[in-house]
Amino acid sequence: MKAQKNISSLLLIVLTTVLLLSCEKNDQDQDYGDPKIFIPQSLTSGSNLNYFVPKGLDSASRNYIIDVKNNQVNVLLGVYRSGKVKDDSYSVNISTRPDTVNTLIASNLLTNTVLLPEGLYKLPSSVTVPDGKNATSFYLAINSSLLKANYSGKRVALAVAATNASKFSLSPVNNKVIVIIDVNALKL
């Protein structure tokens, strides 16, 4: 009888161990989604890729920073990787698309707007998202004196794109954004 009880106990332990080892991860812990890299600012207007500057109520929510010391307006941009996958490092190149803005202006989709000239701004040529992260930010830095002197009463626009991802794939739509800056509203 005692031997039968020991065998039953041993069988119960083995069965419990097998059951615990055969359990799958919780769904919340599983990798899911098709990871895509995109520029999150491309989603702010909802129906198009426009990113209007200035936006926000205070220094905590504004989408730009006026850097008086360096005579710059820094427009906040970034890249983000969607999907729940391992947070491996990746990088993307950053480029501009003047033809996109010129087409929008010629089509009267952007009125009272001019293309932000190349000598007036700085953008990083690439950005890297480190291991353990899925996003990073960067600035479109614009010379504030030249912006005010040459474009008061106007809007300037620049199409910024993420290209050549080192890992994962780029969103086919939201890999670019049209930054539209109302110069007077910045109150430079």
Side-chain angles (χ1 to χ4, degrees):
M1 180 83 169
K2 192 173 181 180
Q4 191 177 20
K5 200 172 194 181
N6 284 342
I7 291 174
S8 295
S9 295
L10 183 60
L11 197 55
L12 183 61
I13 291 171
V14 170
L15 184 60
T16 303
T17 304
V18 169
L19 285 173
L20 288 175
L21 292 176
S22 67
C23 288
E24 293 182 25
K25 289 182 183 179
N26 288 332
D27 284 346
Q28 71 184 19
D29 297 329
Q30 297 282 358
D31 287 351
Y32 63 86
D34 184 16
K36 296 287 184 194
I37 299 170
F38 63 97
I39 298 177
Q41 290 78 15
S42 68
L43 303 168
T44 60
S45 65
S47 62
N48 54 41
L49 302 173
N50 295 344
Y51 180 52
F52 294 100
V53 178
K55 282 279 188 197
L57 303 174
D58 56 24
S59 61
S61 63
R62 283 191 195 118
N63 61 358
Y64 69 98
I65 298 168
I66 296 180
D67 180 352
V68 176
K69 181 182 173 191
N70 292 311
N71 192 38
Q72 291 180 160
V73 174
N74 292 319
V75 177
L76 179 64
L77 296 169
V79 293
Y80 186 91
R81 190 224 357 101
S82 66
K84 187 173 187 306
V85 296
K86 186 176 175 194
D87 286 333
D88 287 339
S89 171
Y90 66 92
S91 63
V92 294
N93 291 342
I94 304 298
S95 62
T96 61
R97 302 242 172 100
D99 55 325
T100 300
V101 173
N102 287 330
T103 300
L104 293 170
I105 291 169
S107 305
N108 287 322
L109 294 172
L110 291 177
T111 58
N112 193 32
T113 304
V114 296
L115 175 65
L116 183 63
E118 201 169 307
L120 212 64
Y121 66 86
K122 293 182 212 164
L123 267 173
S125 58
S126 66
V127 293
T128 299
V129 177
D131 280 337
K133 302 284 183 182
N134 61 0
T136 194
S137 59
F138 61 94
Y139 291 119
L140 165 61
I142 306 165
N143 182 303
S144 55
S145 297
L146 292 175
L147 186 65
K148 182 179 180 181
N150 295 307
Y151 300 100
S152 287
K154 293 192 178 277
R155 296 187 312 174
V156 293
L158 186 68
V160 177
T163 61
N164 300 322
S166 65
K167 188 171 188 168
F168 309 113
S169 59
L170 291 166
S171 165
V173 175
N174 297 103
N175 66 337
K176 58 193 153 300
V177 64
I178 313 297
V179 179
I180 303 169
I181 303 167
D182 183 338
V183 176
N184 284 359
L186 288 175
K187 298 180 181 169
L188 298 173

